PDB file of all heavy atoms in Angstrom:
ATOM      1  N   GLU A1269      -0.074  -0.829  -0.378  1.00 39.00           N
ATOM      2  CA  GLU A1269       0.933  -1.625   0.303  1.00 39.00           C
ATOM      3  C   GLU A1269       0.910  -1.359   1.805  1.00 39.00           C
ATOM      4  O   GLU A1269       1.303  -2.194   2.604  1.00 39.00           O
ATOM      5  CB  GLU A1269       2.320  -1.300  -0.266  1.00 39.00           C
ATOM      6  CG  GLU A1269       2.487  -1.781  -1.705  1.00 39.00           C
ATOM      7  CD  GLU A1269       3.895  -1.559  -2.205  1.00 39.00           C
ATOM      8  OE1 GLU A1269       4.723  -1.041  -1.426  1.00 39.00           O
ATOM      9  OE2 GLU A1269       4.176  -1.905  -3.356  1.00 39.00           O
ATOM     10  N   VAL A1270       0.491  -0.151   2.197  1.00 36.00           N
ATOM     11  CA  VAL A1270       0.323   0.171   3.608  1.00 36.00           C
ATOM     12  C   VAL A1270      -1.147   0.429   3.842  1.00 36.00           C
ATOM     13  O   VAL A1270      -1.754   1.275   3.183  1.00 36.00           O
ATOM     14  CB  VAL A1270       1.139   1.434   4.004  1.00 36.00           C
ATOM     15  CG1 VAL A1270       0.877   1.787   5.449  1.00 36.00           C
ATOM     16  CG2 VAL A1270       2.615   1.196   3.756  1.00 36.00           C
ATOM     17  N   ASN A1271      -1.729  -0.305   4.767  1.00 39.00           N
ATOM     18  CA  ASN A1271      -3.156  -0.184   5.021  1.00 39.00           C
ATOM     19  C   ASN A1271      -3.394   0.971   5.987  1.00 39.00           C
ATOM     20  O   ASN A1271      -3.305   0.819   7.199  1.00 39.00           O
ATOM     21  CB  ASN A1271      -3.692  -1.497   5.596  1.00 39.00           C
ATOM     22  CG  ASN A1271      -5.216  -1.498   5.648  1.00 39.00           C
ATOM     23  OD1 ASN A1271      -5.852  -0.459   5.701  1.00 39.00           O
ATOM     24  ND2 ASN A1271      -5.789  -2.682   5.625  1.00 39.00           N
ATOM     25  N   VAL A1272      -3.697   2.132   5.402  1.00 37.00           N
ATOM     26  CA  VAL A1272      -3.905   3.325   6.218  1.00 37.00           C
ATOM     27  C   VAL A1272      -5.104   3.150   7.127  1.00 37.00           C
ATOM     28  O   VAL A1272      -5.115   3.600   8.274  1.00 37.00           O
ATOM     29  CB  VAL A1272      -4.079   4.561   5.316  1.00 37.00           C
ATOM     30  CG1 VAL A1272      -4.365   5.801   6.158  1.00 37.00           C
ATOM     31  CG2 VAL A1272      -2.832   4.774   4.462  1.00 37.00           C
ATOM     32  N   ASP A1273      -6.157   2.499   6.645  1.00 42.00           N
ATOM     33  CA  ASP A1273      -7.350   2.290   7.462  1.00 42.00           C
ATOM     34  C   ASP A1273      -7.007   1.553   8.750  1.00 42.00           C
ATOM     35  O   ASP A1273      -7.486   1.899   9.831  1.00 42.00           O
ATOM     36  CB  ASP A1273      -8.389   1.483   6.687  1.00 42.00           C
ATOM     37  CG  ASP A1273      -9.061   2.307   5.594  1.00 42.00           C
ATOM     38  OD1 ASP A1273      -8.797   3.518   5.561  1.00 42.00           O
ATOM     39  OD2 ASP A1273      -9.818   1.742   4.806  1.00 42.00           O
ATOM     40  N   ALA A1274      -6.187   0.521   8.644  1.00 44.00           N
ATOM     41  CA  ALA A1274      -5.810  -0.243   9.828  1.00 44.00           C
ATOM     42  C   ALA A1274      -5.062   0.634  10.818  1.00 44.00           C
ATOM     43  O   ALA A1274      -5.260   0.537  12.034  1.00 44.00           O
ATOM     44  CB  ALA A1274      -4.958  -1.442   9.430  1.00 44.00           C
ATOM     45  N   GLU A1275      -4.200   1.498  10.305  1.00 46.00           N
ATOM     46  CA  GLU A1275      -3.462   2.384  11.197  1.00 46.00           C
ATOM     47  C   GLU A1275      -4.391   3.365  11.897  1.00 46.00           C
ATOM     48  O   GLU A1275      -4.251   3.646  13.094  1.00 46.00           O
ATOM     49  CB  GLU A1275      -2.393   3.138  10.401  1.00 46.00           C
ATOM     50  CG  GLU A1275      -1.286   2.231   9.855  1.00 46.00           C
ATOM     51  CD  GLU A1275      -0.255   3.004   9.059  1.00 46.00           C
ATOM     52  OE1 GLU A1275      -0.407   4.238   8.960  1.00 46.00           O
ATOM     53  OE2 GLU A1275       0.690   2.380   8.561  1.00 46.00           O
ATOM     54  N   LEU A1276      -5.366   3.891  11.161  1.00 43.00           N
ATOM     55  CA  LEU A1276      -6.318   4.822  11.765  1.00 43.00           C
ATOM     56  C   LEU A1276      -7.104   4.150  12.878  1.00 43.00           C
ATOM     57  O   LEU A1276      -7.263   4.705  13.977  1.00 43.00           O
ATOM     58  CB  LEU A1276      -7.288   5.346  10.698  1.00 43.00           C
ATOM     59  CG  LEU A1276      -6.733   6.366   9.701  1.00 43.00           C
ATOM     60  CD1 LEU A1276      -7.754   6.614   8.605  1.00 43.00           C
ATOM     61  CD2 LEU A1276      -6.381   7.663  10.409  1.00 43.00           C
ATOM     62  N   ILE A1277      -7.602   2.950  12.601  1.00 44.00           N
ATOM     63  CA  ILE A1277      -8.408   2.252  13.601  1.00 44.00           C
ATOM     64  C   ILE A1277      -7.558   1.840  14.789  1.00 44.00           C
ATOM     65  O   ILE A1277      -7.993   1.908  15.932  1.00 44.00           O
ATOM     66  CB  ILE A1277      -9.111   1.049  12.956  1.00 44.00           C
ATOM     67  CG1 ILE A1277     -10.216   1.565  12.028  1.00 44.00           C
ATOM     68  CG2 ILE A1277      -9.689   0.119  13.996  1.00 44.00           C
ATOM     69  CD1 ILE A1277     -10.932   0.497  11.274  1.00 44.00           C
ATOM     70  N   ALA A1278      -6.324   1.421  14.545  1.00 45.00           N
ATOM     71  CA  ALA A1278      -5.438   1.040  15.646  1.00 45.00           C
ATOM     72  C   ALA A1278      -5.164   2.230  16.554  1.00 45.00           C
ATOM     73  O   ALA A1278      -5.044   2.096  17.766  1.00 45.00           O
ATOM     74  CB  ALA A1278      -4.135   0.472  15.096  1.00 45.00           C
ATOM     75  N   ARG A1279      -5.039   3.438  15.956  1.00 43.00           N
ATOM     76  CA  ARG A1279      -4.792   4.625  16.770  1.00 43.00           C
ATOM     77  C   ARG A1279      -6.016   5.017  17.576  1.00 43.00           C
ATOM     78  O   ARG A1279      -5.922   5.452  18.710  1.00 43.00           O
ATOM     79  CB  ARG A1279      -4.387   5.800  15.865  1.00 43.00           C
ATOM     80  CG  ARG A1279      -2.931   5.806  15.462  1.00 43.00           C
ATOM     81  CD  ARG A1279      -2.490   7.205  15.082  1.00 43.00           C
ATOM     82  NE  ARG A1279      -3.313   7.780  14.028  1.00 43.00           N
ATOM     83  CZ  ARG A1279      -3.039   7.668  12.736  1.00 43.00           C
ATOM     84  NH1 ARG A1279      -1.986   6.984  12.351  1.00 43.00           N
ATOM     85  NH2 ARG A1279      -3.815   8.228  11.834  1.00 43.00           N
ATOM     86  N   GLU A1280      -7.182   4.869  16.986  1.00 44.00           N
ATOM     87  CA  GLU A1280      -8.395   5.372  17.605  1.00 44.00           C
ATOM     88  C   GLU A1280      -9.042   4.377  18.553  1.00 44.00           C
ATOM     89  O   GLU A1280      -9.957   4.715  19.280  1.00 44.00           O
ATOM     90  CB  GLU A1280      -9.397   5.780  16.515  1.00 44.00           C
ATOM     91  CG  GLU A1280      -8.891   6.942  15.677  1.00 44.00           C
ATOM     92  CD  GLU A1280      -9.911   7.408  14.659  1.00 44.00           C
ATOM     93  OE1 GLU A1280     -11.109   7.148  14.853  1.00 44.00           O
ATOM     94  OE2 GLU A1280      -9.515   8.028  13.666  1.00 44.00           O
ATOM     95  N   ASN A1281      -8.576   3.132  18.536  1.00 45.00           N
ATOM     96  CA  ASN A1281      -9.149   2.104  19.392  1.00 45.00           C
ATOM     97  C   ASN A1281      -8.033   1.301  20.044  1.00 45.00           C
ATOM     98  O   ASN A1281      -7.120   0.830  19.372  1.00 45.00           O
ATOM     99  CB  ASN A1281     -10.047   1.165  18.588  1.00 45.00           C
ATOM    100  CG  ASN A1281     -11.232   1.895  17.983  1.00 45.00           C
ATOM    101  OD1 ASN A1281     -12.237   2.102  18.635  1.00 45.00           O
ATOM    102  ND2 ASN A1281     -11.085   2.300  16.725  1.00 45.00           N
ATOM    103  N   ASP A1282      -8.109   1.162  21.331  1.00 44.00           N
ATOM    104  CA  ASP A1282      -7.079   0.445  22.063  1.00 44.00           C
ATOM    105  C   ASP A1282      -7.279  -1.059  22.028  1.00 44.00           C
ATOM    106  O   ASP A1282      -6.403  -1.820  22.435  1.00 44.00           O
ATOM    107  CB  ASP A1282      -7.044   0.910  23.526  1.00 44.00           C
ATOM    108  CG  ASP A1282      -6.636   2.379  23.628  1.00 44.00           C
ATOM    109  OD1 ASP A1282      -5.863   2.822  22.749  1.00 44.00           O
ATOM    110  OD2 ASP A1282      -7.101   3.053  24.566  1.00 44.00           O
ATOM    111  N   GLU A1283      -8.439  -1.521  21.557  1.00 49.00           N
ATOM    112  CA  GLU A1283      -8.718  -2.952  21.545  1.00 49.00           C
ATOM    113  C   GLU A1283      -7.797  -3.665  20.568  1.00 49.00           C
ATOM    114  O   GLU A1283      -7.448  -3.148  19.514  1.00 49.00           O
ATOM    115  CB  GLU A1283     -10.175  -3.201  21.128  1.00 49.00           C
ATOM    116  CG  GLU A1283     -11.191  -2.671  22.115  1.00 49.00           C
ATOM    117  CD  GLU A1283     -11.203  -3.443  23.420  1.00 49.00           C
ATOM    118  OE1 GLU A1283     -10.910  -4.646  23.372  1.00 49.00           O
ATOM    119  OE2 GLU A1283     -11.482  -2.836  24.455  1.00 49.00           O
ATOM    120  N   GLU A1284      -7.399  -4.876  20.936  1.00 49.00           N
ATOM    121  CA  GLU A1284      -6.644  -5.695  20.005  1.00 49.00           C
ATOM    122  C   GLU A1284      -7.617  -6.403  19.063  1.00 49.00           C
ATOM    123  O   GLU A1284      -8.820  -6.317  19.198  1.00 49.00           O
ATOM    124  CB  GLU A1284      -5.812  -6.726  20.764  1.00 49.00           C
ATOM    125  CG  GLU A1284      -4.777  -6.118  21.682  1.00 49.00           C
ATOM    126  CD  GLU A1284      -4.038  -7.183  22.467  1.00 49.00           C
ATOM    127  OE1 GLU A1284      -4.368  -8.367  22.300  1.00 49.00           O
ATOM    128  OE2 GLU A1284      -3.145  -6.833  23.228  1.00 49.00           O
ATOM    129  N   GLY A1285      -7.073  -7.132  18.104  1.00 49.00           N
ATOM    130  CA  GLY A1285      -7.929  -7.897  17.217  1.00 49.00           C
ATOM    131  C   GLY A1285      -8.227  -7.197  15.921  1.00 49.00           C
ATOM    132  O   GLY A1285      -9.255  -7.453  15.298  1.00 49.00           O
ATOM    133  N   VAL A1286      -7.329  -6.299  15.476  1.00 51.00           N
ATOM    134  CA  VAL A1286      -7.456  -5.664  14.181  1.00 51.00           C
ATOM    135  C   VAL A1286      -6.430  -6.288  13.251  1.00 51.00           C
ATOM    136  O   VAL A1286      -5.231  -6.205  13.485  1.00 51.00           O
ATOM    137  CB  VAL A1286      -7.238  -4.141  14.261  1.00 51.00           C
ATOM    138  CG1 VAL A1286      -7.292  -3.521  12.861  1.00 51.00           C
ATOM    139  CG2 VAL A1286      -8.279  -3.497  15.157  1.00 51.00           C
ATOM    140  N   ILE A1287      -6.898  -6.958  12.193  1.00 49.00           N
ATOM    141  CA  ILE A1287      -6.019  -7.626  11.242  1.00 49.00           C
ATOM    142  C   ILE A1287      -5.985  -6.830   9.949  1.00 49.00           C
ATOM    143  O   ILE A1287      -7.021  -6.408   9.429  1.00 49.00           O
ATOM    144  CB  ILE A1287      -6.504  -9.057  10.946  1.00 49.00           C
ATOM    145  CG1 ILE A1287      -6.467  -9.897  12.220  1.00 49.00           C
ATOM    146  CG2 ILE A1287      -5.669  -9.715   9.852  1.00 49.00           C
ATOM    147  CD1 ILE A1287      -5.069 -10.106  12.778  1.00 49.00           C
ATOM    148  N   ASP A1288      -4.769  -6.642   9.420  1.00 47.00           N
ATOM    149  CA  ASP A1288      -4.536  -5.839   8.243  1.00 47.00           C
ATOM    150  C   ASP A1288      -4.214  -6.743   7.058  1.00 47.00           C
ATOM    151  O   ASP A1288      -3.236  -7.483   7.075  1.00 47.00           O
ATOM    152  CB  ASP A1288      -3.362  -4.890   8.556  1.00 47.00           C
ATOM    153  CG  ASP A1288      -2.846  -4.144   7.346  1.00 47.00           C
ATOM    154  OD1 ASP A1288      -3.489  -4.200   6.297  1.00 47.00           O
ATOM    155  OD2 ASP A1288      -1.787  -3.504   7.465  1.00 47.00           O
ATOM    156  N   LEU A1289      -5.078  -6.735   6.028  1.00 41.00           N
ATOM    157  CA  LEU A1289      -4.803  -7.453   4.781  1.00 41.00           C
ATOM    158  C   LEU A1289      -4.539  -6.412   3.701  1.00 41.00           C
ATOM    159  O   LEU A1289      -5.471  -5.768   3.219  1.00 41.00           O
ATOM    160  CB  LEU A1289      -5.984  -8.333   4.382  1.00 41.00           C
ATOM    161  CG  LEU A1289      -6.281  -9.541   5.261  1.00 41.00           C
ATOM    162  CD1 LEU A1289      -7.508 -10.269   4.738  1.00 41.00           C
ATOM    163  CD2 LEU A1289      -5.098 -10.487   5.295  1.00 41.00           C
ATOM    164  N   SER A1290      -3.262  -6.224   3.340  1.00 41.00           N
ATOM    165  CA  SER A1290      -2.894  -5.157   2.428  1.00 41.00           C
ATOM    166  C   SER A1290      -2.445  -5.684   1.081  1.00 41.00           C
ATOM    167  O   SER A1290      -2.161  -6.866   0.910  1.00 41.00           O
ATOM    168  CB  SER A1290      -1.759  -4.310   3.040  1.00 41.00           C
ATOM    169  OG  SER A1290      -2.174  -3.707   4.239  1.00 41.00           O
ATOM    170  N   ASN A1291      -2.371  -4.755   0.135  1.00 37.00           N
ATOM    171  CA  ASN A1291      -1.779  -5.017  -1.180  1.00 37.00           C
ATOM    172  C   ASN A1291      -2.514  -6.130  -1.929  1.00 37.00           C
ATOM    173  O   ASN A1291      -1.901  -7.032  -2.478  1.00 37.00           O
ATOM    174  CB  ASN A1291      -0.293  -5.359  -1.051  1.00 37.00           C
ATOM    175  CG  ASN A1291       0.459  -5.062  -2.331  1.00 37.00           C
ATOM    176  OD1 ASN A1291      -0.003  -4.259  -3.128  1.00 37.00           O
ATOM    177  ND2 ASN A1291       1.584  -5.710  -2.514  1.00 37.00           N
ATOM    178  N   GLY A1292      -3.804  -6.046  -1.937  1.00 36.00           N
ATOM    179  CA  GLY A1292      -4.611  -7.029  -2.655  1.00 36.00           C
ATOM    180  C   GLY A1292      -6.058  -6.847  -2.289  1.00 36.00           C
ATOM    181  O   GLY A1292      -6.408  -6.005  -1.466  1.00 36.00           O
ATOM    182  N   CYS A1293      -6.910  -7.641  -2.904  1.00 34.00           N
ATOM    183  CA  CYS A1293      -8.346  -7.498  -2.726  1.00 34.00           C
ATOM    184  C   CYS A1293      -8.945  -8.807  -2.243  1.00 34.00           C
ATOM    185  O   CYS A1293      -8.682  -9.860  -2.821  1.00 34.00           O
ATOM    186  CB  CYS A1293      -8.975  -7.069  -4.053  1.00 34.00           C
ATOM    187  SG  CYS A1293     -10.748  -6.846  -3.976  1.00 34.00           S
ATOM    188  N   ILE A1294      -9.754  -8.755  -1.193  1.00 38.00           N
ATOM    189  CA  ILE A1294     -10.288  -9.992  -0.614  1.00 38.00           C
ATOM    190  C   ILE A1294     -11.385 -10.602  -1.464  1.00 38.00           C
ATOM    191  O   ILE A1294     -11.842 -11.702  -1.172  1.00 38.00           O
ATOM    192  CB  ILE A1294     -10.822  -9.778   0.829  1.00 38.00           C
ATOM    193  CG1 ILE A1294     -11.932  -8.726   0.860  1.00 38.00           C
ATOM    194  CG2 ILE A1294      -9.698  -9.436   1.764  1.00 38.00           C
ATOM    195  CD1 ILE A1294     -12.596  -8.587   2.217  1.00 38.00           C
ATOM    196  N   CYS A1295     -11.811  -9.917  -2.529  1.00 36.00           N
ATOM    197  CA  CYS A1295     -12.804 -10.550  -3.399  1.00 36.00           C
ATOM    198  C   CYS A1295     -12.131 -11.426  -4.446  1.00 36.00           C
ATOM    199  O   CYS A1295     -12.798 -12.124  -5.190  1.00 36.00           O
ATOM    200  CB  CYS A1295     -13.708  -9.512  -4.076  1.00 36.00           C
ATOM    201  SG  CYS A1295     -12.967  -8.604  -5.440  1.00 36.00           S
ATOM    202  N   CYS A1296     -10.796 -11.420  -4.495  1.00 35.00           N
ATOM    203  CA  CYS A1296     -10.109 -12.263  -5.484  1.00 35.00           C
ATOM    204  C   CYS A1296      -8.807 -12.793  -4.892  1.00 35.00           C
ATOM    205  O   CYS A1296      -8.779 -13.858  -4.282  1.00 35.00           O
ATOM    206  CB  CYS A1296      -9.875 -11.496  -6.790  1.00 35.00           C
ATOM    207  SG  CYS A1296      -9.212  -9.830  -6.580  1.00 35.00           S
ATOM    208  N   ARG A1297      -7.698 -12.031  -5.003  1.00 43.00           N
ATOM    209  CA  ARG A1297      -6.376 -12.564  -4.694  1.00 43.00           C
ATOM    210  C   ARG A1297      -6.188 -12.908  -3.223  1.00 43.00           C
ATOM    211  O   ARG A1297      -5.425 -13.822  -2.871  1.00 43.00           O
ATOM    212  CB  ARG A1297      -5.302 -11.547  -5.136  1.00 43.00           C
ATOM    213  CG  ARG A1297      -3.890 -12.038  -5.033  1.00 43.00           C
ATOM    214  CD  ARG A1297      -3.009 -11.296  -6.001  1.00 43.00           C
ATOM    215  NE  ARG A1297      -2.962  -9.872  -5.759  1.00 43.00           N
ATOM    216  CZ  ARG A1297      -2.047  -9.273  -5.003  1.00 43.00           C
ATOM    217  NH1 ARG A1297      -1.138  -9.990  -4.390  1.00 43.00           N
ATOM    218  NH2 ARG A1297      -2.044  -7.970  -4.856  1.00 43.00           N
ATOM    219  N   LEU A1298      -6.860 -12.199  -2.334  1.00 42.00           N
ATOM    220  CA  LEU A1298      -6.634 -12.408  -0.898  1.00 42.00           C
ATOM    221  C   LEU A1298      -7.751 -13.200  -0.222  1.00 42.00           C
ATOM    222  O   LEU A1298      -7.854 -13.189   1.000  1.00 42.00           O
ATOM    223  CB  LEU A1298      -6.469 -11.052  -0.186  1.00 42.00           C
ATOM    224  CG  LEU A1298      -5.235 -10.231  -0.565  1.00 42.00           C
ATOM    225  CD1 LEU A1298      -5.157  -8.990   0.295  1.00 42.00           C
ATOM    226  CD2 LEU A1298      -3.955 -11.043  -0.424  1.00 42.00           C
TER     227      LEU A1298
END
């Protein structure tokens, strides 16, 4: 439900353009 990966990358990189798709899988539901 919380995308930890997105938070890690957001902290380590100042660039914008990081989109978080949480609580599902992009090979099916998302």
